[in-house]
Amino acid sequence: MFATLKVQLSLSRPYLTRNELQQAYKNTIPDRRSYMQRKLVIFKFMSDICVQFQFPRKTLETAFYYYQRYYVFNKFETEMCHTVATTALLLSCKQVETFKKINELCIVSFRLRNINNINQDIIENFKKRIFQVELRLLEACCFDYRVNNRIHIDEYIVKFGKHLGFTYELCHLSWVISYDILKTDLLLILPQHTIALAILKVAFELLKLKDWPVNDYEKFKTNNDSINEAYFGVLNYYINAFDSCNLKDHTSSKFPPVSLEVFMQLKANSSPETGLKDFTMKETEEDKYLTTARDFTQRERRYVLSSKFVKEENAIINAKKRKLK
Amino acid sequence: MLKNYQPFNKKKVSRLRTALNSCLKMANNDIDGTVIVSEYTKEKKVGEGTYAVVYLGTKQSTGRKIAIKEIKTSEFKDGLDMSAIREVKYLQEIQHVNVIELVDIFMAYDNLNLVLEFLPTDLEVIIKDKNILFTPADIKSWMLMTLRGVYHCHRNFIMHRDLKPNNLLLSPDGQIKVADFGLARAVPSPHESLTSNVVTRWYRAPELLFGANHYTSAIDIWSVGIIFAELMLRIPYLPGQNDLEQMDVTFRALGTPTDRDWPEVSTFSLYNKLQIYPPPSRDELRKRFIAASENALNFMCNMLTMNPVKRWTAAQCLESEYFKEIPPPSDPSSIKIKS
Ligand SMILES: Nc1ncnc2c1ncn2[C@@H]1O[C@H](COP(=O)(O)OP(=O)(O)OP(=O)(O)O)[C@@H](O)[C@H]1O
């Protein structure tokens, strides 16, 4: 009786710090290596679907946010990840208004995995699973549509680039980098405009330009710590995964030569590495938001965006509680 | 699913009080992911749309009456309906007295529920109910509230795309609430193309009738203009039977646009098939809207300007002389809508 009356109230926290993520992954990702390997395969898979349908970059970006966000709160299982990926794309298409019929998405999703003799039954089954995952995905995001809602990384690159009077080459280079960066955790940690600005900074330095023109990040509605987090996030990605990056394959004469050493040099030039102030792992251990597995058997699972709402409701409940005594 | 959803029952509550009490203690410590008492009850079904069933309910902690929109899950062909997604997405962004409030979102088992403020009636009901009498001052008050809501959407770069009397709901204290954001979308960037298949036919702006694949929030203002006319006439102003007839009805009443006042309008592929009607004279309009003042007619004509670029914006509408002249708009809470 008691159990069925329970309600779960979750406050949306659309971005998490590195330690927060690490804490959450303890519940959901038993084998980090296999998760990371899969992630690259899935990223390629999702990119291929986007190419097939000629989706803009923002569809991929939003979908990959969803894919990664899903595994912050749901257990990672290798067999399910193509389903999660296809669902992430379906939802992203709705979110960024590049709508595609689910049947078309499913068929391409099968074809790209070389699953051939598919019939309507198989598709219907797949769709059923997708519908389930879709709701879980939205729950993992707490139905928070403020993220991924308006302007995306590539669009910010163009807008900021234009505003700062940067060249076409610089923006193009940034655009290529931003594709690589979708593969990183940064999407879960920082909002798009901050990532875009940090990417522009990296590209600026790769082109060996002097005097980075932005010193007041507040004007761009961000701050030093966030920019540094993103900036070092970009450099560390290339230092750790240079062999699998896409940037190295872009050998246009307009692009500067890139190599592992170049990125290591950039990092050395800007050391010490700084970023967002993080919680200690001990603090995150006490954060039930991250440590408790989501319980989907709860009768009412509520999702709210503002802590003000939660506080007000808590106050009302406390007042009632005093009356009950 | 619904069968399992027993309404909260007061006797049960008192029996469970002790249990709840211990539950409340847990709730105090922390905010996130903690356990609080069941919040929403569904008491009575009040309506059903294409993608949702709407219930009257109560928010337990405050006793506030609310509407719960339960999104139908089983029948979806493409998963969660776009309308549901849009509704949540845009209502999360907008908080304004003249826009319906999204109070909360919750999942119950595998159903998505949107908790909205409860709004007992809408303008369509009022217009149709011939027992209800309303005055020019009441109409002015409704137009003012509607435009305030619409202005708030537009300044947040959101187009509603489905304004009509039945989406203008009324609160118990007489406030108009722009509702049903199932078709809303962000104002597009210059190169983005959009579907012109939006807005209920009778309220559709000429650029949509022409099938334009790029348009702006001006389409909403057209709808408001038509609603204004409907409030004065108490019958739909331009009721076309089908899409093609809608063009004919619209242009017969308001004149076929020409390249002179709307450059390049003749390049729309549908334009050649059109009959060319002259715009109505001022006298003709005066006859059509007997009770309307000159300022009221100006106000309407500027919302029903063919060329979307020249059509008034929500801000221009709000500043119009119509709102400054007598009679002043009625106090919303004083408008009697009970027949
Ligand atoms: N906030 C509310 N308060 C009270 N009743 C409401 C509220 N919202 C909707 N309703 C009622 O529920 C009915 C269904 O609403 P809903 O928005 O789902 O569909 P609709 O807009 O009427 O139709 P469709 O979705 O097909 O366009 C409405 O006609 C109205 O009577």
Side-chain angles (χ1 to χ4, degrees):
Chain A
M1 233 355 196
F2 171 70
T4 55
L5 265 174
K6 281 203 296 187
V7 169
Q8 186 176 284
L9 177 63
S10 310
L11 177 67
S12 168
R13 286 158 63 176
Y15 299 106
L16 299 166
T17 67
R18 288 190 190 280
N19 283 348
E20 285 178 317
L21 285 174
Q22 208 182 321
Q23 188 60 254
Y25 289 148
K26 282 186 187 169
N27 272 333
T28 58
I29 301 177
D31 178 2
R32 181 92 184 140
R33 253 179 90 93
S34 106
Y35 171 77
M36 292 306 280
Q37 278 168 357
R38 273 281 126 175
K39 189 166 140 180
L40 289 183
V41 174
I42 291 292
F43 185 74
K44 169 89 173 36
F45 169 70
M46 287 166 83
S47 297
D48 289 346
I49 297 186
C50 289
V51 170
Q52 285 276 323
F53 288 114
Q54 301 192 313
F55 288 145
R57 178 74 74 76
K58 64 184 174 188
T59 312
L60 178 66
E61 178 192 301
T62 305
F64 214 59
Y65 173 89
Y66 288 148
Y67 176 83
Q68 297 190 76
R69 179 84 186 179
Y70 183 84
Y71 290 119
V72 179
F73 299 105
N74 295 276
K75 204 160 200 83
F76 174 73
E77 289 156 359
T78 330
E79 316 79 60
M80 273 293 282
C81 58
H82 283 97
T83 310
V84 175
T86 312
T87 313
L89 267 169
L90 174 75
L91 192 59
S92 150
C93 283
K94 294 177 190 172
Q95 168 77 357
V96 305
E97 303 268 354
T98 53
F99 189 71
K100 265 283 163 297
K101 286 254 168 275
I102 184 167
N103 265 331
E104 292 179 61
L105 273 174
C106 289
I107 290 167
V108 171
S109 167
F110 281 122
R111 200 175 63 221
L112 288 173
R113 283 181 278 155
N114 296 320
I115 304 176
N116 291 317
N117 45 37
I118 42 167
N119 54 38
Q120 201 53 36
D121 277 356
I122 296 178
I123 293 185
E124 290 305 319
N125 266 328
F126 189 47
K127 272 159 66 174
K128 265 194 207 117
R129 269 180 292 147
I130 286 183
F131 294 161
Q132 250 167 13
V133 175
E134 184 177 37
L135 290 171
R136 294 284 175 272
L137 240 174
L138 284 163
E139 289 195 64
C141 300
C142 292
F143 293 91
D144 190 339
Y145 288 99
R146 294 170 303 180
V147 217
N148 298 313
N149 198 358
R150 289 289 167 100
I151 304 175
H152 299 262
I153 297 177
D154 58 319
E155 294 160 335
Y156 273 122
I157 284 177
V158 174
K159 283 176 200 289
F160 287 164
K162 201 165 174 199
H163 177 78
L164 293 167
F166 289 158
T167 60
Y168 181 87
E169 283 69 36
L170 173 48
C171 295
H172 187 188
L173 177 60
S174 305
W175 193 79
V176 174
I177 294 176
S178 72
Y179 178 75
D180 274 332
I181 294 313
L182 296 185
K183 296 174 231 171
T184 69
D185 287 354
L186 277 181
L187 281 178
L188 299 177
I189 299 170
L190 292 160
Q192 282 103 336
H193 69 299
T194 301
I195 300 177
L197 199 52
I199 289 175
L200 281 167
K201 184 162 187 245
V202 172
F204 186 90
E205 291 171 0
L206 284 175
L207 288 165
K208 296 200 162 51
L209 299 170
K210 288 274 165 326
D211 301 320
W212 169 246
V214 189
N215 36 42
D216 181 6
Y217 288 114
E218 304 289 334
K219 268 198 195 130
F220 290 80
K221 302 283 180 214
T222 179
N223 55 48
N224 263 326
D225 288 350
S226 303
I227 288 290
N228 284 335
E229 183 78 37
Y231 174 81
F232 285 104
V234 175
L235 296 185
N236 288 336
Y237 163 77
Y238 284 111
I239 290 168
N240 296 325
F242 192 79
D243 288 337
S244 59
C245 79
N246 285 78
L247 176 62
K248 68 175 189 331
D249 304 328
H250 277 262
T251 45
S252 140
S253 57
K254 301 244 171 62
F255 276 22
V258 288
S259 64
L260 184 55
E261 289 69 35
V262 169
F263 286 101
M264 287 174 52
Q265 190 55 51
L266 282 189
K267 192 172 172 181
N269 292 348
S270 22
S271 68
E273 182 171 344
T274 54
L276 290 173
K277 280 188 197 67
D278 209 336
F279 302 95
T280 63
M281 281 312 273
K282 189 148 187 330
E283 282 167 328
T284 60
E285 256 165 44
E286 282 155 22
D287 189 345
K288 279 184 271 175
Y289 195 82
L290 306 169
T291 53
T292 344
R294 295 278 167 110
D295 180 1
F296 296 113
T297 60
Q298 293 278 2
R299 181 192 176 95
E300 254 182 46
R301 301 187 298 280
R302 302 172 53 204
Y303 295 95
V304 296
L305 304 190
S306 104
S307 52
K308 186 167 154 268
F309 181 99
V310 181
K311 278 187 198 129
E312 281 169 6
E313 195 165 298
N314 252 13
I316 293 168
I317 287 173
N318 285 338
K320 281 206 170 171
K321 189 185 131 193
R322 276 195 295 276
K323 261 197 208 151
L324 282 176
K325 267 186 187 160
Chain B
M1 269 310 161
L2 248 155
K3 288 201 196 76
N4 301 334
Y5 212 100
Q6 290 295 325
F8 216 87
N9 152 327
K10 279 202 179 124
K11 275 183 203 147
K12 225 186 263 168
V13 175
S14 74
R15 260 191 278 129
L16 286 167
R17 208 170 251 181
T18 355
L20 287 176
N21 233 350
S22 62
C23 163
L24 287 167
K25 279 201 187 92
M26 291 164 65
N28 285 330
N29 317 335
D30 197 5
I31 290 169
D32 306 325
T34 47
V35 178
I36 299 185
V37 275
S38 179
E39 254 307 274
Y40 299 105
T41 59
K42 290 175 185 165
E43 280 138 31
K44 179 176 108 198
K45 184 170 158 179
V46 289
E48 182 160 356
T50 16
Y51 77 100
V53 183
V54 181
Y55 298 88
L56 169 68
T58 310
K59 182 170 160 78
Q60 291 301 305
S61 58
T62 56
R64 179 182 181 190
K65 284 262 163 286
I66 37 98
I68 300 179
K69 203 164 180 172
E70 186 183 275
I71 309 299
K72 300 175 187 171
T73 355
S74 47
E75 295 134 72
F76 301 145
K77 290 210 269 6
D78 291 291
L80 193 57
D81 201 274
M82 266 303 259
S83 315
I85 290 188
R86 289 192 180 121
E87 186 129 39
V88 179
K89 179 166 153 182
Y90 295 113
L91 287 182
Q92 272 180 353
E93 272 192 68
I94 305 178
Q95 274 118 42
H96 189 273
V97 272
N98 298 120
V99 177
I100 190 168
E101 183 195 356
L102 176 66
V103 180
D104 205 348
I105 301 169
F106 69 91
M107 291 289 298
Y109 302 100
D110 273 338
N111 283 326
L112 173 59
N113 294 265
L114 312 185
V115 183
L116 299 162
E117 60 182 315
F118 178 70
L119 301 165
T121 189
D122 63 62
L123 273 192
E124 186 185 20
V125 170
I126 291 173
I127 291 171
K128 280 191 176 158
D129 185 341
K130 292 289 165 340
N131 293 317
I132 301 175
L133 297 176
F134 50 80
T135 65
D138 298 343
I139 296 179
K140 193 176 285 185
S141 177
W142 289 330
M143 288 311 289
L144 184 59
M145 292 185 279
T146 301
L147 281 164
R148 282 180 176 154
V150 170
Y151 173 65
H152 192 73
C153 297
H154 290 179
R155 68 196 291 250
N156 285 290
F157 305 102
I158 295 165
M159 312 189 275
H160 184 282
R161 302 202 300 181
D162 197 15
L163 291 174
K164 55 181 171 180
N166 129 313
N167 284 336
L168 299 175
L169 307 189
L170 277 144
S171 70
D173 60 348
Q175 289 289 335
I176 289 271
K177 308 276 178 173
V178 177
D180 200 345
F181 280 69
L183 258 180
R185 75 157 287 165
V187 173
S189 47
H191 300 293
E192 230 171 318
S193 66
L194 310 171
T195 169
S196 59
N197 190 15
V198 293
V199 187
T200 306
R201 192 185 306 123
W202 301 344
Y203 307 91
R204 220 176 267 163
E207 59 272 34
L208 297 174
L209 296 174
F210 281 125
N213 55 20
H214 193 277
Y215 48 85
T216 65
S217 45
I219 62 161
D220 286 340
I221 300 299
W222 177 277
S223 307
V224 176
I226 299 289
I227 294 167
F228 181 47
E230 184 168 336
L231 280 167
M232 292 192 287
L233 299 172
R234 290 201 73 159
I235 49 162
Y237 185 32
L238 305 174
Q241 295 293 317
N242 54 50
D243 289 358
L244 209 61
E245 202 200 272
Q246 187 63 40
M247 293 186 103
D248 195 61
V249 170
T250 302
F251 299 140
R252 193 156 7 125
L254 298 167
T256 311
T258 60
D259 282 345
R260 229 185 70 219
D261 38 46
W262 185 353
E264 291 181 42
V265 64
S266 62
T267 58
F268 281 118
S269 61
L270 287 170
Y271 191 86
N272 294 329
K273 301 203 181 75
L274 289 180
Q275 180 124 13
I276 305 292
Y277 298 103
S281 68
R282 191 71 176 189
D283 265 344
E284 164 57 28
L285 286 175
R286 286 187 192 115
K287 263 183 246 155
R288 254 184 240 171
F289 300 93
I290 295 172
S293 69
E294 290 302 304
N295 280 329
L297 285 180
N298 281 345
F299 175 62
M300 182 178 71
C301 291
N302 280 299
M303 290 193 281
L304 299 182
T305 300
M306 290 290 158
N307 182 348
V309 176
K310 292 186 187 159
R311 203 174 298 149
W312 272 0
T313 63
Q316 284 174 305
C317 292
L318 283 167
E319 286 169 358
S320 105
E321 284 303 317
Y322 165 69
F323 289 117
K324 296 174 193 159
E325 71 176 2
I326 52 158
S330 311
D331 171 1
S333 60
S334 75
I335 304 177
K336 295 273 171 293
I337 49 171
K338 286 269 145 29
S339 47

